[in-house]
Amino acid sequence: MGAYDHGSISAIAERRPTRRIHVGPVAVGGGAPISVQSMTTTQTADVAATRAQVRALAEEGADIVRVAVPDGDAAAALPALVRDSPVPLVADIHFDYRLALRALDAGIHCVRLNPGNIGSQQRVREVVHAARDRKVPIRIGVNAGSLEEDIVQKHGWPTAEGMVESAERHIRFLEDEGYQEIKVSLKAHDVAMTVAANRLFSRRFDYPLHLGVTEAGTLLAGTVKSSAGLGILLADGIGDTIRISLTADPVEEVRVARLLLKSLGLKFGGATLTSCPTCGRCSVAMIPIAERVEQRLSTVKGEVSVAVMGCEVNGPGEAAAADVGVAYGHGGVGLLFKAGQVVRRMKAEELEEALVGEALRIAAERVPGGGA
């Protein structure tokens, strides 16, 4: 591996021990790699469109995909979607417990319930028994905006303590039914509340946690907000699976999630790009060059670190840890370097192709069986 693999990030705590469950073949908790989730934005009843989006998310690196099941038409589409999906699917259920039962009959790999709006305990009990019989996990999804009325009245407002109280209430109910295939999410649109709720929960329970900041916003704002909250929790060693919620193409959620995990040293594989912010020393259009390189390497599977630097001051010195990089100079020339050592001086217009070609070669060598 490249030089990036030799160090460690001391700010990252050891991951907290949690129980392990399985969402289809994907292990969650118990020391398993942190999995990346996203959610389709298509109408689930449109099987062709939803199938295509699930595949696009899987190709981008999603480990698990959630689909909304708001009505009978959506539930009717689940058998075909489950059959054709390359990754496990989670059915997102609100209000109508019968949709959860239909999802389980369809072979869904996990059911996400918001107990605060699913109805009576008897209705939840029916879902729990059906899930237990099929060995399908349930995600208890607690959102600050839909806490039970008595909890809100007790605390006077949605709070982190109230969110954990809600989760505990439903965990105890499921445990009383002899069911422990549980993962939990505690989400708010407020970063501080999300962090506090997950920290508090992790001190009390060992069920795996699905992390997210709900309704985080558009691509830029949502990325910043989610990365702030999830970054804090992941650095604390909290979290077994994550979703970055964005008002954007869900493929962007997967990209951001994977980059977040890679930046914290919690996920490996694929290309890691280092690029300078540019300044008056730069003599080329750095932004489009860096964007093209990132896009051209976005699908590689093998681990490779790549640098695109705008001058010989920053490269290779500031990017010496990269497997391969380029530094654009003046006079229409630049440097190609590997692991901090200059290997060739080239025409500026040739550097991008040389960089991408070398990065693809390195990545291919690091994939079992070859192929980037």
Side-chain angles (χ1 to χ4, degrees):
M1 295 296 180
Y4 284 134
D5 303 313
H6 302 322
S8 63
I9 303 176
S10 59
I12 303 300
E14 291 292 327
R15 288 180 62 195
R16 73 181 183 106
T18 57
R19 305 184 190 198
R20 176 171 291 193
I21 64 170
H22 284 84
V23 179
V26 176
V28 175
I34 296 172
S35 55
V36 171
Q37 298 193 31
S38 185
M39 187 171 182
T40 56
T41 58
T42 56
Q43 296 295 312
T44 305
D46 186 340
V47 173
T50 304
R51 180 192 292 124
Q53 193 167 76
V54 169
R55 288 176 177 170
L57 292 168
E59 289 172 3
E60 193 62 36
D63 302 297
I64 300 169
V65 173
R66 181 155 49 112
V67 297
V69 187
D71 53 36
D73 290 340
L78 291 178
L81 293 173
V82 171
R83 182 185 64 241
D84 297 337
S85 177
V87 293
L89 297 183
V90 179
D92 189 79
I93 308 294
H94 292 268
F95 307 116
D96 192 342
Y97 77 104
R98 293 169 298 183
L99 296 174
L101 297 175
R102 290 186 62 180
L104 289 163
D105 284 340
I108 204 73
H109 303 100
C110 180
V111 175
R112 186 270 189 180
L113 298 178
N114 184 334
N117 65 30
I118 203 67
S120 68
Q121 287 192 340
Q122 180 54 40
R123 292 177 175 180
V124 178
R125 182 176 288 112
E126 288 188 48
V127 176
V128 172
H129 290 181
R132 185 183 61 198
D133 292 344
R134 294 166 174 80
K135 296 182 172 59
V136 172
I138 290 176
R139 169 153 76 91
I140 297 173
V142 176
N143 281 4
S146 56
L147 291 177
E148 295 92 321
E149 184 177 348
D150 66 304
I151 291 178
V152 175
Q153 290 179 350
K154 174 182 175 180
H155 293 274
W157 191 256
T159 64
E161 292 78 7
M163 293 170 67
V164 174
E165 183 177 335
S166 175
E168 181 172 8
R169 174 181 296 179
H170 298 292
I171 287 171
R172 299 308 182 203
F173 179 78
L174 268 58
E175 289 177 337
D176 288 345
E177 296 298 320
Y179 183 87
Q180 294 185 326
E181 296 298 303
I182 301 167
K183 62 177 175 173
V184 176
S185 64
L186 302 123
K187 298 184 180 182
H189 63 80
D190 180 84
V191 170
M193 188 184 299
T194 299
V195 170
N198 282 275
R199 281 175 166 169
L200 181 60
F201 181 90
S202 69
R203 291 196 293 268
R204 296 183 182 175
F205 299 95
D206 64 354
Y207 287 108
L209 274 170
H210 169 73
L211 302 183
V213 176
T214 193
E215 300 155 354
T218 54
L219 180 57
L220 177 58
T223 293
V224 172
K225 198 171 181 179
S226 295
S227 297
L230 272 59
I232 291 169
L233 291 167
L234 292 167
D236 281 350
I238 297 170
D240 301 286
T241 177
I242 69 171
R243 180 193 175 192
I244 305 293
S245 297
L246 300 175
T247 309
D249 185 331
V251 167
E252 299 293 345
E253 297 187 350
V254 179
R255 290 174 180 159
V256 173
R258 293 184 64 85
L259 286 171
L260 175 60
L261 292 174
K262 282 172 67 68
S263 70
L264 294 171
L266 295 170
K267 185 174 282 293
F268 301 96
T272 299
L273 177 68
T274 298
S275 59
C276 71
T278 82
C279 68
R281 291 191 300 268
C282 186
S283 61
V284 296
M286 268 287 295
I287 294 173
I289 294 171
E291 289 177 342
R292 285 196 304 270
V293 170
E294 183 177 56
Q295 179 61 37
R296 294 176 69 180
L297 299 177
S298 63
T299 60
V300 301
K301 305 302 181 187
E303 180 84 9
V304 60
S305 53
V306 177
V308 179
M309 312 304 280
C311 72
E312 295 179 359
V313 173
N314 286 332
E318 294 291 333
D323 291 309
V324 61
V326 293
Y328 288 88
H330 291 277
V333 296
L335 305 175
L336 177 71
F337 56 89
K338 297 181 184 178
Q341 300 299 312
V342 176
V343 295
R344 200 188 321 173
R345 185 176 294 272
M346 304 175 64
K347 293 180 180 178
E349 61 267 24
E350 297 174 349
L351 286 173
E352 181 180 329
E353 288 301 323
L355 174 66
V356 171
E358 187 63 21
L360 290 172
R361 184 190 64 77
I362 294 170
E365 291 176 350
R366 294 175 178 171
V367 175

